[in-house]
Each structure stands twice: as C-alpha cells, then as structure tokens.
C-alpha cells in the first residue's frame, strides 16, 4: 500500500520489526498455507471501486441519501409495523457514547457494568409494560421474536400445531412460516370476524395438538383484539397464548400479562428507534416465570460482588448455544443491545406520563383523520375499535393514489387489498407527530383523489 | 438417614438406594458433585414419567455447563425432590441426603447387579 | 477514576418530572373507553421512571463510565474482530435519507436505499467469491440458519430431503453452528479435530455418506488456523452429495487473499459487525448477509433486489425461496455503515487489513509463546489460542488471568473457547491496533504469568480497579433476579 491509511497504524518500520520477532522474512510467509488454487491472484483478485477520501465518501453518500423521500421532506401516513414517532434528542446522544456503542457482549461483567445495568433496566421496563415476569435483553426484531416464541411453545408443549390470526402482520406470518419450516411444525390461519380474530373458528380448531395461539395487539389493521376472550378458549388446553404487541399501545391498553398471555413479543421500534428502512430495530421477548429457563438469548440478572456490592451479570447462560450447542433450542447469539438501550433511554425520557400522552395523541389523531375522511365521502372500512391505524377503500389502485400523494408531499397508506380481501384497500396510520395542517391537507388531498 | 456405605453406584456416578423390593431412590455421588462445581439448577422428570435404564432423565447445571444424568434402572418416577427447584445448592451440600433426585418404581424384578458397592466405587473414582 | 454512581433509573424517579415535550395538538381527545370494552383498557399505568433531561443524561453517562468499549482500550476478544468502528460511518447512517425512511414507502421514493443495498451486494460478491447475496439476515447466527434452510430446500428439490438429515460440524466450531443446524431441523454430527487443530480428512471421510446434508466450517478456524486441506475437504463433501457452509466470523484473515467461493463453499455468511467495522453495540445489532453459488439463488430469502436499467426494485416471486427470515430487508442501518467502510478501504485497503491483522496476531503469539502454552505449532491467521495450563498448575486459572488483564486497562480475550483447548485464551488483536498497544498487552500478560508464580493471590483476587469486584454468578443463576424488585412488587 502506498499511503498509510488512517485506520491502519502499522508502519513499514513496525512491520519489519514484527516480522523479525516472528522469525519470517515477509508477510507472504504468513499466508503460504493457503492452497495455491484458492488464492486470490492477479486474475481473480477482488475488484472494488476505488477507495474514497472522507470528503468524497460523504459527498457520495449524501447523494445516495438524497434520492430517498424522508420524514423531513414528506408527512408520513404510513405505519403497518414501522412508525414515525417522536424520539427525544438525548436518545441519540446516549447511543453515540462509545463505551456503549463499541463494546461487545458483556462477557467480563466487571468491565461491563454499565451495559448490564442498562439491559437490566430494559428488561424491567418491558416487564412493566407487558405485565410479564421475565424479559430477555432483546432479539433481532419483532417478527423473529415471534418465531422464537413459537419454537418455545412447540418445545414446551411438545405439540406441533400453531394457530395464528389473519390479523397478523403479513411479514410476521412469512417469518413464522420460515421458522416452522426449520423446526417442522404446522401453522394455520384463523380468519377474522368483525375485524378481529374469529373466536368461533378458534373454538372449533383448538385441540389436543395445539401448541399456541398467536394474536397481534392491536392487530395489523389497527383493531384491538379481546385477548381475554381468546385466553378463555384455552382454559382446557395446554396451548400457550402468544401476543405480539405494539409496546406504545401498551401505555393505554391492558397489559397482555393481565389478560392471560403466556409469551409477549414485539418490536420496540415505535418507542425510541428511527425507522431506518426497516432495521436495525429491536425485538422484545417476555414470558411468565415458568418459562424463564426456556427463553432464548441473553438475560441479565442482579447479584453482588465479593464485597457485597450490587452488580449485574448475564445469567441462566446454560440456555444458550455457546454452552448447549446441539442441545440448544435457539441459536441466538448476538442481540440488539444498542437499540434496546435506545428504547430504554426513550422510556426514561418520556416516562410514565409521556408514554401515555404520546399514545393518546396518536389515537386522537388517527380517529380525527378517520372521521374527517368519512365526512368527505371516503369509504372507511374499519369500525371504531381501532388504535392509531385504520383501513380505507379507494376507488382506484392504492399505488396510483400513493404516487400522486407523494407529489403532494405525503407518504400514503399501505396497500392491504390482498390482506383485507377488498380492492384498493389502504391502511392509514396517524401518529402524534402529524400536525393539524398536515392532517387536514392530507384529508383534502385524498378526497380530491377520490373525486377526480 | 442415608449412609454412603449402604448405597450402590454406577459408572456414570449415580447412586441408588434400595427403598423396597420394587423401588429405589436415585441421586448423584459426591465425586460427581465435585466435578460439576456449584450447582445452580436441576431439571427433573415429571412424576409418572417412564424412564429406561441408561437413558437421560435429569439435567444438572452449573453456571457454565450442563450435565445429563442417566438412570441406572428402568421404571416409573414415583416421587421427585421438589425442593431442589428453589434450593439446588442442596446437591452440593448434601448429595446423599437432602440432594436426592428421584424415586423410581421398577417395573420388573429389581436387578442391581451391574452396580458397584461403595468400596468398589471408591476404587473406581480413585482410578479416574 | 473512582466510579461511585450506583442507582437504578427507578430509584431516582420522582412523580411529575419529565424529559420530553410532545408536539402540540389541538385535536379533540378520543376516549378509548367509548370504543373499547373496559377490560381492554389499562387499569394501572406502567410504572416507568419520571426524570428530568439532565437526570437521564447523568444516569447514562454514569453507566457509560462503568463500561469498556474499543475506544476505552484494547479489546482482544477472539473471533469477535474488535476493530475500530469509524466515526464517519455513524454520521452517514444518521443522514435523514437513511435513518428516516420507511421500509414500505413506494419503491420509487427509496431508490437511494435500494441502490446502496444493491452495490453492497456486489461488493460482498467480490469479497466472498459468491454469485448472489442476500442482506436480510440480522446476524451471523441468522445467516447460518438461513443458509442451512437453503441446504434443506435444495436437497428437497432434488428429492433427497428425507434422506439427508445430518450436518457435520467440527468440534472447534462456534456454538451457533450446531445450534443453527438444530433449529433448521437437522441432526448434528461432530467431527473431531486432528492433532494439529484442523479437520482431519480421515475423520471426515468416515463421517460423510448418503445422509449428509452438509458441512459447516470456519476458515481460518477458531484456533486461528487455516484449513490447509480445504480443497480436498470440499471434494469429499461434494462427492458425498453434501454442501459446504462457510462461517464468515473469521473472514478478517483472508480479505483479498482467498475467497470462500474459490475454496469450494456453496453458502457463506459474513459478520458485517466483525470484518466490516460496524459497532457491536454491546451485543448487537449486527448484520449477517449470506452469499450463495449460482445454482442456489432460487432458494435465497425473499424479497431480493434487482436492477432494471437505472431502476432498483424488490422482487418476491421466488416460489422455491425459503421465505423471509426477518422483517423488511435486514439491518439496513448496519449495512449502510459496512458499505461506507468498504468504500473507504477499497480492495487494496481490505487486503492490507488482513495482512496487518495476521501480522499482529503472529507477533503477539511470538512474544507470548515463551510464557504460555501454545497448543499448535504453526503460524496463525488473524487470531491464536493460548492455554493457561501452566498457570493452572500454580492455582491460577484462565478466568483469573482474564480478570487481571482488566486491571491493566485491557479487555479480556475470549476464554474457555474453543472447547478443545484446556484453559483457552483466544486472542484477536485486529489490524487497527498500534504496535505500542500490542507490546503493552504482551508485557501485561507476561507480568501476569510471572505473578502467577510469585504472587498468585494478586491474580486470583482480580480485578482490583473496576467498579465492582468479582461478581457472584452462582447466586445470580440459583436465585435469578431479572427485573427491578420494587417495580415488580408494585405491579
């Protein structure tokens, strides 16, 4: 290499000295064990674009970023699992602290107390929100958490049938099917009745082979499901009730734990994480105490040091792959510690009242837009029992309407024609961030499209 | 209560105490406990579970390892030491008394001829 | 510095404080009670802390002072590649055009994001020598699982799904390998390493057969040794009808020197949070893209990105695909950082990365081998394994050595792994550490080896300088306390 790269401190002089200590004459000698036929030689060397200076890099990356529509340029009325919510500035400031950001998994607890305590607080707050006894320190995202929950359910019940509601996020269903393909259990979809999971269908289909029933809360279309009624159907069954919940909604909705859930999973993106084109977000995973030793991934526990001082460690580690290897029931290794920290800082900042206010304001805004649209003659398909999302039927294809909305400064709803089973159905979300001007002009713009 | 010298031992370090003509109590030896270190969790089979000689029936965990425990006899689990759930340390403190694992009712005639007496077991562990 | 901060969020909370200001809203309140049955409304609000903004910042700053990251000091954790995480990549990932975009917004409004992903895929194809890449897996373990599901779908498509049920895994492998095989529905067969720490060709020949679905291999392996028989290993597995999976955790050793594609692997994953410099974040998020040879592309996770003229689009009409392994398109924000890194280094820079990483590891190994047992004699790649057996005889365990290193201002190496080495210390220095740092680390380990002989209590009582002394992990596991107790009692 001709010029010393700013990330590489080793100089030619260093190299010479090190080679001498090692007792070889050139770097090549250290790679001589790579078989000739597999070596990257001149003909098959890796080819990449020229290295860029810092300035050229930022210029280029800004250009790429500039091609995307963002929340700075448009008002988003799109949700469907990922939400444009307020994130206090301090969240990012804490995440940028390199002691958190550049650490590895806290294998040496004495040098990682900060991370461990922050994750212990994350677990505590997730249990508080979900009404459960034990939470892990995070998983990849809400959908993989759901897959892990089903693996847990089929493993502890030793049953092979999972029933999920049609009101689940379509991508959650897809991930679930991939998990089921891996562990070789069966999944079936329960239909909706009156916009929530059909209890009669469940009643007829829950049987001795059922490992779990999965309900999304609120469901994909925005409706709030009656978890207690589902739990009642499981009274004589060994099947577990798995709930995939939006943690923001849990500020106002009764906790799934109180309504009978055995496992509660979901994604903390709505509480403190940027949308980031779908990731990294943060899956959470909470259970009743009896399943504590079956929970996938890392769990932080409180203990004391040799002086009796409070401290934190990763605990119950024998559940995990690095110890149990082929006897493990999950292969989870890395978690989403940094995004879990983001959610923790968020919850510490908005606190008990702020979370409720934020959820309530989102509800208010969604119901306001829903009523305004109906007033303007737009066909609203959802009934009133929705949280901050609802379905509207347009008179032309959703993508066409969204294209025009995009020109007017809006990102429109998500096309749910296939999921809902009606032509031109779109799922609209309104969060606390939308101003009254944005909401009114969105209603105008959509009504105008309908009347064209 | 239990005197080590009245017990029989397997090569996998389980001990067996004859409770009656068709029932035994099973635990793990002090040698095994020492090898495992501080025991933090014990997973036992459910009462009425069927177990087969030589197969895994329980798991004993330390902070960073898990070990399978094999039953030396076939039969049905008639009783489990539930106190180990909250106090797994009993296994370290009292492997032959308070740290017993399960009682098994044997289905066929009790045959303990493959097992060693305390003296033979001592010689066996000394040789390891 | 003495760290005194010792509070939980819940202990400094006081009713009425806040650290947020919501956007103003004049919209009338919708009473959920008017649209939902009362039992679905929260009876008791969640007991979250109430703090002012400075209190929150001081809390987390206090915690960060009790945490050790790469910028705190040398972090020689084996198989984790704790290299410098460039700051500029953090700036770039936070550009609004990357951070504030929705995964379901219209394709044409996210062309920059799709273009970046497509270009990252192309770069990773080069680096791995594979024909197609999926960025969807969130981490290495998820990449392994996705890769093994591709094995499964491939064998099923050939009518051999029921027959090929076994995955071969060397005993030196990362724990995720056998665990991933199990959650993909496979049985695991362990292959014993030979005396020089590598996969034995004879052991492999004895293990393969018509029931073999594939072999998982890390190369260089977790001992830091290159599998010199890789060409023959690939032939043996392929001849038996199995496929080869490359665990890319150690790819930092071979950039520009060799590729898994050339070695004969069929599916690979890379850990972008290791080799490609994205921060580990205290355990995640990572990113674990997979690459496959051309004949396996139909089985890859869906959706995939395609370039059509100048337009980038997502396609999901892949009937043989294993399906979706994660929401949306993977950990996009992590992938942005990795792409920035690749553009910063270029091909030549990446090759220098591997050369320096391997040089550093061999240098440290040479300096330490007089004082610690080195189980395998050959040169290593980017990491190496020492054994603390000599010190164990003096009553000083590897765990003690690890704790004592903390007192010198270093993080500890990976310990007690790989399992096939007693009292293992697995050291990976990376290319971004200066020689002076490597020397200081070697000096510390040498001094510890001497203290083990003359003053073992100093080592066994370590750490002496951290926020806490040695923690009681036994009680933590026996009587688990995993959430704040007072909050729990109140609920």
């Amino acid at each position: 290499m001709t010029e010393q790269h700013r990330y590489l401190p080793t100089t030619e002089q260093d190299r010479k000295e090190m080679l001498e200590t090692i007792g070889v004459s050139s770097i090549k000698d250290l790679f001589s064990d790579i078989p000739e036929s597999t070596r990257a030689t001149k003909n098959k060397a890796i080819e990449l674009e020229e290295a860029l200076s810092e300035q050229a890099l930022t210029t280029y990356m800004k250009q790429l970023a500039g091609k995307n529509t963002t929340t700075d340029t448009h008002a988003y009325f799109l949700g469907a699992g990922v939400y444009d919510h307020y994130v206090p500035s301090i969240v990012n400031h804490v995440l940028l602290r390199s002691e958190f950001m550049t650490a590895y998994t806290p294998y040496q607890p004495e040098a990682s107390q900060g991370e461990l305590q922050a994750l212990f607080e994350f677990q505590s707050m997730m249990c508080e929100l979900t009404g459960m006894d034990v939470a892990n320190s995070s998983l990849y995202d809400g959908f993989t958490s759901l897959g892990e929950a089903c693996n847990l359910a089929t493993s502890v019940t030793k049953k092979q049938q999972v029933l999920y509601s049609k009101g689940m996020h379509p991508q959650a269903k897809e991930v679930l099917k991939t998990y089921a393909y891996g562990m070789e259990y069966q999944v079936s979809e329960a239909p909706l009745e009156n916009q929530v999971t059909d209890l009669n269908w469940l009643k007829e289909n829950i049987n001795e082979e059922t490992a779990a029933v999965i309900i999304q809360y609120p469901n994909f279309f925005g409706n709030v499901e009656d978890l207690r009624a589902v739990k009642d159907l499981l009274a004589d069954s060994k099947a577990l009730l798995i709930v995939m919940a939006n943690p923001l909604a849990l500020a106002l909705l009764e906790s799934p734990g109180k309504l009978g859930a055995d496992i509660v999973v979901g994604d903390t993106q709505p509480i403190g994480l940027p949308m980031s084109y779908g990731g990294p977000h943060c899956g959470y995973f909470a259970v009743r105490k009896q399943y504590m030793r079956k929970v996938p991934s890392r769990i932080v526990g409180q203990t004391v040091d040799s002086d009796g001082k409070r401290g934190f460690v990763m605990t119950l580690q024998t559940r995990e792959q690095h110890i149990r290897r082929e006897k493990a029931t999950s292969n989870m290794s890395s978690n989403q510690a940094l995004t879990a920290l983001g959610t923790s800082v968020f919850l510490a900042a908005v606190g008990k009242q702020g979370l409720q206010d934020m959820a309530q304001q989102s509800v208010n805004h969604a119901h306001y837009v829903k009523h305004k649209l109906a007033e303007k003659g737009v066909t609203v398909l959802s009934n009133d029992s929705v949280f901050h999302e609802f379905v509207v039927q347009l008179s032309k294809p959703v993508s066409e309407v969204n294209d025009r909305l995009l020109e007017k400064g809006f990102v429109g709803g998500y096309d749910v024609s296939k999921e809902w089973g009606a032509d031109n159905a779109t799922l609209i979300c309104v969060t606390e961030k939308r101003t009254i001007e944005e909401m009114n002009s969105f209603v105008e713009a959509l009504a105008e499209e309908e009347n064209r | 209560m239990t005197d080590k010298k009245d017990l029989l031992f397997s090569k996998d370090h389980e001990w067996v105490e004859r409770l009656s003509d068709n029932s035994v109590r099973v635990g793990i030896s002090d040698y095994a406990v020492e090898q495992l270190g501080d025991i933090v969790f014990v997973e036992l089979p459910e009462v009425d579970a069927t177990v087969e000689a030589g197969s895994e029936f329980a798991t004993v965990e330390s902070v960073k390892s898990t070990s399978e425990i094999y039953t030396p006899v076939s039969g049905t689990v008639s009783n489990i030491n539930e106190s180990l759930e909250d106090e797994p340390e009993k296994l370290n403190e009292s492997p032959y008394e308070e740290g017993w694992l399960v009682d098994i009712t044997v289905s066929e005639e009790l045959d303990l001829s493959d097992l060693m007496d305390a003296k033979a077991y001592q010689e066996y562990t000394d040789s390891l | 510095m003495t760290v005194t901060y010792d509070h939980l969020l819940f202990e400094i909370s006081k009713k009425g404080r806040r650290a947020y200001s919501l956007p103003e809203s004049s919209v009338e309140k919708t009473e959920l009670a008017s649209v939902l049955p009362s039992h679905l409304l929260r009876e008791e609000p969640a007991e979250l802390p109430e703090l002012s903004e400075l209190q929150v910042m001081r809390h987390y700053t206090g915690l960060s002072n009790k945490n050790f990251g790469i910028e705190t000091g040398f972090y020689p954790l084996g198989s984790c590649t704790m290299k410098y995480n460039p700051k500029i990549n953090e700036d770039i990932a936070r550009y609004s055009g990357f951070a504030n975009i929705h995964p379901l917004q219209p394709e044409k409004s996210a062309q920059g994001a799709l273009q970046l992903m497509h270009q990252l895929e192309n770069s990773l194809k080069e680096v791995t020598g594979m024909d197609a890449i999926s960025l969807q897996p969130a981490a290495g373990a998820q990449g392994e699982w996705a890769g093994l599901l591709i094995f499964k779908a491939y064998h099923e498509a050939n009518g051999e799904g029921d027959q090929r049920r076994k995955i071969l895994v060397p005993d030196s492998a990362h724990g995720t390998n056998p665990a991933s095989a199990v959650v993909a529905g496979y049985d695991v067969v362990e292959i014993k390493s030979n005396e020089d720490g590598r996969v034995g060709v004879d052991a492999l020949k004895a293990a393969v057969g018509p029931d073999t679905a594939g072999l998982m291999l890390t190369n260089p392996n977790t001992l830091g040794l290159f599998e010199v028989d890789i060409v023959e290993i690939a032939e043996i597995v392929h001849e038996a009808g199995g496929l080869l999976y490359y665990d890319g955790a150690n790819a930092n050793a071979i950039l520009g020197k060799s590729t898994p594609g050339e070695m004969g692997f069929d599916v690979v994953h890379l850990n972008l949070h290791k080799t490609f410099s994205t921060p580990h974040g205290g355990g995640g998020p990572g990113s674990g893209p997979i690459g496959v040879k051309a004949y396996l592309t139909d089985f890859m996770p869906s959706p995939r990105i395609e370039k059509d003229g100048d337009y980038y689009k997502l396609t999901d009409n892949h009937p043989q695909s294993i399906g979706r392994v994660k929401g949306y398109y993977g950990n996009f924000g992590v992938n942005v950082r990795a792409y920035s890194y690749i553009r910063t280094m270029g091909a030549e820079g990446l090759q220098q990365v591997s050369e320096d990483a391997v040089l550093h590891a061999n240098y440290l190994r040479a300096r330490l081998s007089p004082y610690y047992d080195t189980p395998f004699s050959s040169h290593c790649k980017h990491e190496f394994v020492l054994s603390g057996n000599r010190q164990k005889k003096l009553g000083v365990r590897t765990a003690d050595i690890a704790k004592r290193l903390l007192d010198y201002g270093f993080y500890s190496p990976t310990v007690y792994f790989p399992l096939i080495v007693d009292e293992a210390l697995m050291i990976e220095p990376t290319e971004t550490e200066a020689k002076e740092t490597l020397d200081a680390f070697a000096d510390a380990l040498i001094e510890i080896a001497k203290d083990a002989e003359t003053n073992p209590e100093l080592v066994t009582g370590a750490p002496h300088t951290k926020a806490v002394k040695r923690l009681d992990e036994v009680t933590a596991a026996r009587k688990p306390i995993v959430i704040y107790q007072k909050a729990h009692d109140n609920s």
Side-chain angles (χ1 to χ4, degrees):
Chain A
M1 214 179 170
T2 46
E3 208 176 296
Q4 188 90 28
H5 194 284
R6 68 184 188 281
Y7 299 159
L8 304 176
T10 303
T11 63
E12 278 310 318
Q13 181 61 31
D14 292 332
R15 287 190 188 108
K16 223 180 103 207
E17 287 171 22
M18 288 196 238
L19 288 171
E20 224 162 83
T21 305
I22 298 164
V24 295
S25 57
S26 84
I27 297 266
K28 268 190 188 153
D29 295 344
L30 300 175
F31 289 92
S32 59
D33 51 0
I34 298 182
E36 195 76 47
S37 69
T38 73
R39 277 189 216 166
T41 57
K42 264 231 146 43
N43 301 332
K44 50 186 182 187
I46 58 171
E47 282 178 32
L48 298 170
E49 286 136 310
E50 282 291 297
L52 298 176
S53 68
E54 186 168 304
Q55 183 176 317
L57 177 73
T58 54
T59 303
Y60 180 67
M61 296 301 269
K62 273 181 189 153
Q63 195 189 321
L64 279 185
K67 293 183 184 176
N68 300 326
T69 293
T70 78
T71 58
D72 290 344
T73 60
H74 284 62
Y76 280 55
F77 288 84
L78 172 63
V82 177
Y83 302 96
D84 177 26
H85 285 296
Y86 160 68
V87 180
S89 164
I90 57 171
V91 172
N92 188 41
H93 285 276
V94 172
L95 297 192
L96 279 170
R97 286 204 66 102
S98 70
E99 299 86 347
F100 291 127
M101 190 174 75
T102 72
Y104 201 76
T105 304
Y107 287 132
Q108 300 294 338
E110 295 84 359
S112 309
Q113 281 300 294
E115 178 72 44
L116 286 160
Q117 183 182 325
L119 291 174
F120 179 82
E121 291 169 345
F122 173 79
Q123 292 171 185
S124 303
M125 291 192 280
M126 293 322 292
C127 283
E128 195 51 40
L129 278 171
T130 56
M132 305 305 279
D133 304 316
V134 177
N136 74 7
S137 65
S138 72
L139 294 169
Y140 306 139
D141 70 359
F143 304 153
T144 47
S145 291
L146 176 68
E148 293 289 324
C150 286
N151 281 4
L152 189 162
T154 51
S155 149
V156 301
T157 59
K158 299 188 174 66
K159 299 185 187 303
Q160 298 296 312
Q161 282 277 357
V162 170
L163 308 179
Y164 66 87
S165 167
K166 183 178 159 69
M168 302 287 301
H169 193 294
Q171 295 199 10
K173 297 176 192 174
E174 290 177 40
V175 172
L176 175 61
K177 283 173 189 165
T178 310
Y179 266 82
Y181 175 58
M183 292 294 275
E184 299 173 13
Y185 49 82
Q186 284 80 46
V187 297
S188 326
E189 180 168 289
L192 297 184
E193 174 65 35
N194 201 18
Q195 308 187 357
V196 291
T197 312
D198 184 344
L199 295 176
N200 285 324
W201 187 94
L202 275 184
K203 198 172 179 180
E204 282 161 25
N205 286 275
I206 292 167
N207 60 38
E208 285 191 347
E209 284 314 303
T210 312
V213 173
I214 312 169
I215 307 288
Q216 188 174 329
Y217 182 68
N219 72 20
F220 179 62
F221 304 109
N223 291 86
V224 180
E225 297 265 0
D226 189 344
L227 299 179
R228 180 172 291 166
V230 178
K231 181 68 178 182
D232 288 346
L233 297 176
L234 295 173
D236 300 325
S237 163
K238 283 196 172 171
L240 272 49
L241 175 57
I242 299 173
V243 175
M244 186 170 99
N246 178 339
L248 176 64
L250 299 183
L252 300 179
L253 299 181
E254 187 55 285
S255 71
K258 280 221 171 142
L259 296 170
D262 296 290
I263 307 177
V264 186
V265 296
D267 202 304
T268 71
Q269 186 277 328
I271 49 174
L273 305 179
M275 300 192 288
S276 286
Y277 206 48
H281 296 166
C282 171
Y284 72 85
F285 193 104
V287 298
R288 294 190 180 284
K289 188 157 187 254
Q290 69 198 95
Y291 305 115
M292 175 170 69
R293 288 173 191 276
K294 304 289 179 192
V295 170
S297 195
R298 296 158 188 160
I299 299 178
V300 176
Q302 182 181 313
T303 187
V304 290
D305 74 358
S306 52
D307 289 344
K309 188 176 173 189
R310 176 168 69 189
F312 301 90
V313 294
M314 289 197 287
T315 194
L316 307 174
Q317 289 192 63
T318 47
R319 298 165 294 114
E320 294 187 61
Q321 45 76 25
H322 63 280
I323 289 171
R324 211 171 276 254
R325 297 176 76 86
E326 72 273 9
K327 288 193 170 140
T329 50
S330 165
N331 67 337
M332 284 291 163
S333 179
S334 73
N335 59 3
Q336 302 279 117
L338 196 68
T339 45
L341 176 65
T343 284
S344 292
V345 181
F346 173 88
L347 288 173
V350 304
K352 183 178 178 177
Q353 190 57 44
L355 197 71
Q356 296 175 68
D357 291 350
M358 200 168 132
Q360 183 65 53
Q361 205 163 307
S362 298
V363 169
N364 300 345
H365 286 185
H367 283 257
Y368 172 78
V369 172
K370 180 167 173 276
H371 289 139
K372 285 283 172 194
L373 285 171
E375 271 174 31
K376 294 275 181 187
V378 177
T379 310
V380 176
L381 296 176
S382 293
N383 62 27
D384 273 343
S385 69
V386 297
F387 196 76
H388 67 339
E389 288 177 274
F390 57 92
V391 179
V392 161
Q393 187 165 34
L394 306 172
S395 50
K396 42 179 132 7
V398 176
S399 62
E400 216 175 280
V401 174
N402 279 346
D403 281 353
R404 301 187 66 85
L405 287 173
L406 203 59
E407 286 165 21
K408 293 180 178 174
F410 303 104
V411 172
Y414 184 61
D415 189 341
V416 291
S417 308
K418 201 172 77 190
E419 288 80 12
W420 185 275
D423 288 343
N424 310 329
T426 184
L427 178 67
I428 288 170
C429 172
V430 196
T431 71
E432 82 292 341
K433 271 183 77 177
R434 297 287 71 81
T435 64
I436 188 77
E437 293 79 16
E438 286 169 345
M439 290 187 274
N440 286 341
S441 48
F442 177 73
V443 169
E444 286 300 325
L446 200 60
E448 199 182 310
E449 278 310 308
E450 283 298 276
N451 297 327
R452 272 162 72 95
Chain B
M1 183 171 95
T2 317
D3 191 341
K4 186 178 169 184
K5 69 179 194 302
D6 297 332
L7 303 175
L8 295 169
F9 293 84
S10 76
K11 283 194 167 176
D12 298 321
H13 309 288
E14 288 84 26
W15 57 257
V16 173
E17 178 190 10
R18 187 191 283 265
L19 297 176
S20 72
D21 284 351
N22 69 342
S23 75
V24 295
R25 173 159 288 189
V26 178
I28 59 174
S29 73
D30 53 356
Y31 176 86
V33 166
E34 199 167 310
Q35 294 296 310
L36 290 164
D38 292 320
I39 289 160
V40 300
F41 182 64
V42 182
E43 189 172 15
L44 296 174
E46 286 174 22
V47 172
D48 291 339
T50 316
V51 295
E52 202 171 317
S55 65
E56 300 170 8
F57 79 109
T59 311
V60 174
E61 299 183 0
S62 64
V63 170
K64 284 183 180 158
S65 73
T66 69
S67 304
E68 311 298 342
I69 308 300
Y70 302 89
T71 160
V73 297
S74 300
T76 308
V77 175
S78 58
N79 199 4
I80 61 171
N81 187 353
E82 283 175 3
S83 71
L84 294 179
E85 193 181 330
D86 291 326
E87 297 171 276
E89 56 272 28
K90 281 183 176 174
L91 225 60
N92 289 104
E93 292 158 4
S94 170
Y96 296 109
E97 290 182 29
E98 287 181 39
W100 65 277
L101 298 177
V102 299
D103 293 342
I104 296 172
T105 305
V106 294
S107 32
E108 287 160 25
E109 201 174 326
L110 191 57
D111 178 7
L112 301 174
S113 58
D114 285 349
L115 302 178
M116 295 170 266
D117 63 21
K119 187 161 168 281
Y121 179 67
Q122 182 69 47
E123 282 163 16
Y124 169 67
T125 55
D126 287 347
S127 74
L128 293 175
Chain C
M1 179 173 135
T2 315
V3 182
T4 51
Y5 187 78
D6 186 27
H7 298 292
L8 289 168
L9 279 174
F10 316 103
E11 295 164 349
I12 52 173
S13 166
K14 189 179 265 184
K15 191 174 161 51
R17 289 203 180 116
R18 58 165 65 191
Y20 70 98
S21 68
L22 281 182
E24 280 154 32
S25 174
S26 55
V27 173
E28 200 185 328
K29 184 176 182 188
T30 297
E31 291 293 348
L32 278 176
S34 67
V35 294
L36 294 176
S38 62
H39 70 274
L40 295 181
L41 299 178
R42 191 137 190 150
E43 222 171 343
E44 295 281 337
E47 280 300 330
L48 299 171
E50 295 175 272
L51 306 164
S52 75
E53 198 167 307
L54 175 59
Q55 284 183 302
V56 176
M57 284 314 294
R58 207 168 267 167
H59 176 76
Y60 284 105
T61 303
L63 294 190
S64 74
N65 287 336
K66 295 201 274 188
N67 222 51
F68 191 108
I70 294 170
E71 287 169 28
T72 317
F74 184 42
Y75 217 122
L77 210 53
S79 268
C80 300
T81 314
M82 299 300 282
K83 63 171 73 179
Y84 173 58
N85 309 140
K87 293 297 177 192
I88 189 67
N89 301 347
E90 293 306 311
D91 293 351
I92 291 169
R94 285 167 175 78
Y95 289 170
S96 196
F98 296 138
N100 299 321
I101 58 176
H102 192 292
L104 302 174
Q105 72 188 48
E107 213 167 69
K108 70 176 192 188
S109 72
Q111 284 295 298
L114 292 169
Q115 184 182 344
L116 185 149
M117 289 161 64
H118 191 260
Q119 289 174 185
L120 175 58
E121 287 185 3
N122 284 341
S123 304
L124 297 180
K125 275 187 220 172
E126 279 296 317
V127 171
T128 57
M130 305 305 276
D131 300 313
I133 300 283
S134 167
L135 300 174
Q136 207 178 85
Q142 204 182 29
E144 291 172 14
W145 177 65
L148 293 174
L149 292 180
I150 290 173
F151 281 20
K152 193 171 177 173
Y154 169 79
H155 290 310
E156 281 173 9
N158 289 341
E160 295 188 333
D162 292 337
Q163 165 198 332
R164 298 192 179 273
R165 300 293 296 177
K166 287 184 178 159
I167 293 289
L168 313 179
V169 179
D171 54 7
S172 63
H174 298 115
T176 49
N177 288 186
S180 297
V182 168
V183 288
Y186 281 116
D187 296 329
V188 175
V189 179
E190 194 173 86
I191 309 284
K192 267 206 163 337
S193 302
N194 60 20
E195 319 74 77
D196 60 1
R198 296 180 169 94
V199 172
V201 167
D202 291 337
L204 181 65
K205 276 184 184 157
V208 296
D211 58 355
T212 302
L215 168 73
M216 299 180 84
L217 206 58
T218 311
N219 196 16
N221 66 23
T222 60
L223 298 161
L225 303 174
F226 197 85
E227 295 286 354
V228 291
D229 296 323
I230 183 60
V231 177
E232 197 181 350
I233 289 170
E235 272 170 18
I236 294 167
V237 174
H238 284 149
E239 260 166 41
L243 300 175
L244 259 82
Y245 185 88
Y246 182 81
D247 174 341
N250 293 347
N252 210 44
I254 60 155
L255 298 172
K257 295 288 176 188
S258 178
T259 64
E262 290 292 340
M263 292 180 214
F265 286 91
D266 303 285
V267 182
V268 314
H269 86 253
L270 292 171
N271 301 79
L272 299 189
H273 47 291
K274 296 181 181 174
T275 316
F276 296 93
S277 85
T278 74
H280 288 79
S287 178
I290 54 170
V292 303
K293 291 276 171 72
Y295 66 97
L296 293 173
T297 48
D298 287 346
F299 305 105
M300 294 186 91
S302 183
R304 291 168 47 199
I305 304 163
E306 278 174 25
K307 189 177 179 189
D308 187 355
D310 284 336
Y311 189 78
Y312 297 89
K313 59 183 184 186
L314 292 156
T315 63
D316 60 3
N317 52 332
H318 310 288
Q320 286 191 293
S321 163
I322 59 164
R324 180 183 281 285
V325 298
K326 189 195 166 297
Y328 315 105
Y329 327 110
N331 279 340
F332 175 75
V334 178
N335 296 338
V336 170
R337 291 169 173 88
Y339 184 63
S340 298
Y341 177 73
I342 291 172
R343 293 304 305 266
T344 300
M345 302 310 293
E348 219 184 318
L350 289 179
Q351 183 167 324
Q352 190 67 56
V353 162
S354 284
E355 288 186 0
D356 285 353
V358 170
L359 177 71
H360 290 182
N362 279 286
Y363 175 66
L364 268 186
R365 184 175 177 279
R367 283 212 55 196
L368 292 169
S369 55
Y371 304 92
Y372 291 87
D373 288 353
T374 43
F376 306 101
S377 57
S378 53
H379 289 309
C380 61
K381 283 284 153 303
H382 67 307
E383 68 185 6
F384 62 101
V385 177
L386 300 176
S387 165
N389 258 342
R390 222 186 289 176
Q391 289 71 28
K392 186 184 176 184
K393 291 186 188 116
L394 304 166
V396 173
R397 306 288 305 263
T398 281
D400 302 318
I401 296 168
K403 301 294 183 202
R404 182 63 185 144
L405 274 170
L406 302 177
D407 288 332
Y408 285 85
F410 302 114
Y411 208 76
S412 313
T414 298
V415 291
Y416 298 105
F417 187 84
L419 307 176
I420 57 173
V421 174
D422 285 338
E423 299 291 313
L425 284 148
M426 185 197 210
I427 298 170
E428 179 180 5
T430 84
E431 73 283 2
T432 57
E433 296 299 333
K435 179 170 179 291
E436 294 86 329
T437 307
L438 303 179
D439 281 328
F441 178 72
D443 292 343
L445 265 178
I446 291 166
E447 197 165 291
I448 293 170
K450 289 178 180 160
D451 283 335
E453 290 173 14
T454 57
N455 190 5
E457 290 79 20
L458 182 66
V459 186
T460 55
H464 304 283
T465 58
K466 293 286 143 182
V468 290
K469 291 201 167 161
R470 217 164 297 185
L471 290 154
D472 182 356
E473 297 189 55
V474 171
T475 307
R478 273 182 185 162
K479 322 272 181 225
I481 302 172
V482 297
I483 59 172
Y484 175 55
Q485 289 303 287
K486 188 147 175 269
H488 186 51
D489 292 341
N490 285 352
S491 67

